[in-house]
Amino acid sequence: MSVLLVNGRIHSPSHPDATAMAVRDGVVAWLGGDDVGRAQFPGAQVTDLDGGFVAPAFVDSHVHVTATGLALGGLDLGAATSLSHCLKLLADHARAHPHGPVWGHGWDETAWPEPIAPSTDDLDRVLGDRPGYVTRVDVHSAAASTALRRLDRELAKCGGFDAQRPLTTDAHHRVRAAARALLTAEQRAQARAAALDAAAAHGIVAVHECAGPDIAGLRDWLELRDTSHGVDVIGYWGQAVGSADEARALVVATGARGLAGDLFVDGALGSRTAWLQRPYADADHCGTTYLDADAIAAHVGACTEAQVPAGFHAIGDGAVSAVVDALSSVVKRHGIAAVARCGHRLEHLEMVSAGQAAQLGSWGVIASVQPNFDARWGGEHGMYARRLGAQRARLLNPFALLASQGVPLAFGSDSPVTSMNPWETVRAAAQHHTSESAVSVRAAFAAATRGGWRASGIRDRVTGTLAPGAPASYAVWDTGPLAHHAPADAVTRWSADPRSRVPPLPRLGADAPLPRCRQTVHRGEVIYG
């Protein structure tokens, strides 16, 4: 049976004035006016949208599903305003949940009156002999109780170990694995379901899971891969390879879309583990290097030969430069066409120069980026400025530069690091702290919808839009007045002209309420609402 939506506002590039849309067999069959739709589809099931805004569903291009679910149902330390407040929240949670390990997420000491992270002794005073794992907001360092640390006898020999301070790099990966091992199968399943349900409630129909041996491990990824849910899970496995045969075998073994995502070249700025070319402004070192130039080039070369998407987590300018140099060597060896057809991608890409952006654009490399990072940590008094100094901080997350050089953008949240709400992401990209790095609302919306599908290898020109023949994957939103968004006044006037055929979008000013999701539909099936 066909479904006919009427009395709405349909965001369609092919029919920007449409108020009605027909869906048949999971595909958009028609768009137009209400009366014509009722006449053409007399037997359809009619849904009165009552003025609702219908838009292509979103894709979150960088998530960690199980960690998101654990954060949703566990201890959220993002509201902590000081070390003492953080420890009080931890104590309250431990009393309310007196059994088992304690998982917490989200503390950020940079804005506290005393910018001091929780220590091992701090956790032990609150938790006693209970295992406790409490991640910093960027999940690149974590405080761990003595009871948890004791579970790995080799922990003290690892890089990034400190007896009192939060663990980083290899020590963090090992203690994270020890904490994961304490979770039951039921807890993992509940966390996955909670995260995917939350995605659907935000109008998201597909997520890119960035999995890997140092993140949640193979068991978690295989369980997630086999989870039945209305939200698509597109997986990337972050493990380096040295040959095409190894790349092909690993893709078969994991069922991943590519050997990309969080394959760490470096860490994060907040934890001072991003790899910089010059030292941090507030520390006398340049961060952490996980992969050297030879390993990066070997991985890209092997994946290119195997025609498998490759990619890396690269944040600092040292990491980005190493990746771009490695890509350049692979381009020289295999040619631009061989590299471009693979759809290689880079995650985060926060510190990238104009010359590097031009190279990435010419090679067809996709930038999977997170606008909410700037919203949360940008600005002259934000974490970026504390870590790098104001001048370097202004250059971070240059979305407009990447787009201007032809680098395809795909937007994600890195959840649980930032919110999965995609309208927050779109607004953050359009209201960048550095105005010249912002993109238009239209461009941001495209990166959060079509961009995510393109990054996953779907380039049929209709997926991620509402046009005849496109998959009927959409969300219905309650929102205020719509507007035609464009960066310059002359363009704005033309965009608002009916002859421009530009579909409007919600107003996303700083004080405007964000749209509220009423229903999410994926390939014609309701998955939320």
Side-chain angles (χ1 to χ4, degrees), residues 64-71 183 187-189 191-192 195 209 216 220 224:
H64 302 283
V65 170
T66 303
T68 295
L70 290 170
L183 296 171
Q187 287 173 317
R188 295 193 303 271
R192 292 193 297 271
E209 169 71 9
D220 178 80
L224 176 58

Side-chain angles (χ1 to χ4, degrees), residues 243-287:
S243 71
D245 287 344
E246 190 180 354
R248 295 186 191 99
L250 193 52
V251 167
V252 170
T254 60
R257 168 77 182 87
L259 303 180
D262 275 338
L263 175 49
F264 297 120
V265 175
D266 66 346
L269 291 164
S271 291
R272 299 187 186 88
T273 52
W275 175 11
L276 304 182
Q277 293 178 326
R278 292 187 287 123
Y280 284 84
D282 59 355
D284 189 24
H285 63 81
C286 293

Side-chain angles (χ1 to χ4, degrees), residues 193-204:
L196 295 174
D197 287 348
H202 282 307
I204 296 168

Side-chain angles (χ1 to χ4, degrees), residues 60-350:
D60 192 320
S61 295
H62 190 121
V63 301
H64 302 283
V65 170
T66 303
T68 295
L70 290 170
L72 288 171
L75 171 58
D76 180 5
L77 295 171
T81 57
S82 65
L83 176 58
S84 60
H85 186 205
C86 175
L87 296 175
K88 180 181 184 303
L89 293 174
L90 181 65
D92 292 345
H93 179 85
R95 280 193 297 270
H97 304 82
H99 304 293
V102 174
W103 277 68
H105 167 72
W107 57 268
D108 183 357
E109 82 289 0
T110 55
W112 293 351
E114 73 289 57
I116 302 171
S119 68
T120 306
D121 285 348
D122 289 333
L123 266 62
D124 289 349
R125 279 192 291 271
V126 172
L127 301 178
D129 201 37
R130 291 176 69 180
Y133 173 73
V134 185
T135 55
R136 194 180 185 280
V137 62
D138 55 29
V139 200
H140 280 267
S141 56
S145 69
T146 298
L148 179 60
R149 289 166 177 252
R150 280 200 302 258
L151 297 179
D152 188 331
R153 296 182 180 180
E154 303 296 314
L155 188 65
K157 300 177 183 178
C158 296
F161 175 83
D162 188 281
Q164 285 296 323
R165 289 180 295 188
L167 304 172
T168 62
T169 63
D170 291 340
H172 175 227
H173 294 158
R174 290 186 69 114
V175 81
R176 183 175 179 83
R180 286 200 314 267
L182 299 176
L183 296 171
T184 66
E186 182 180 6
Q187 287 173 317
R188 295 193 303 271
Q190 289 174 346
R192 292 193 297 271
L196 295 174
D197 287 348
H202 282 307
I204 296 168
V205 297
V207 296
H208 295 191
E209 169 71 9
C210 293
D214 293 329
I215 302 167
L218 184 59
R219 178 180 64 180
D220 178 80
W221 160 241
L222 295 178
E223 289 176 344
L224 176 58
R225 183 195 66 182
D226 296 335
T227 297
S228 178
H229 196 281
V231 174
D232 288 353
V233 177
I234 301 162
Y236 291 87
W237 184 251
Q239 183 173 339
V241 295
S243 71
D245 287 344
E246 190 180 354
R248 295 186 191 99
L250 193 52
V251 167
V252 170
T254 60
R257 168 77 182 87
L259 303 180
D262 275 338
L263 175 49
F264 297 120
V265 175
D266 66 346
L269 291 164
S271 291
R272 299 187 186 88
T273 52
W275 175 11
L276 304 182
Q277 293 178 326
R278 292 187 287 123
Y280 284 84
D282 59 355
D284 189 24
H285 63 81
C286 293
T288 302
T289 304
Y290 286 101
L291 290 177
D292 62 23
D294 290 341
I296 297 168
H299 181 73
V300 175
C303 290
T304 299
E305 186 177 341
Q307 297 186 35
V308 168
F312 304 93
H313 163 119
I315 286 181
D317 50 5
V320 172
S321 294
V323 171
V324 172
D325 289 347
L327 279 162
S328 178
S329 70
V330 174
V331 167
K332 290 176 183 176
R333 186 163 70 249
H334 293 282
I336 290 178
V339 170
R341 72 185 174 192
C342 292
H344 299 323
R345 54 189 280 169
L346 297 180
E347 309 298 317
H348 312 313
L349 202 60
E350 295 190 55

Side-chain angles (χ1 to χ4, degrees), residues 388-403:
L388 302 175
Q391 184 175 359
R392 277 197 289 178
R394 280 184 53 81
L395 303 178
L396 266 60
N397 301 295
F399 307 132
L401 169 64
L402 291 166

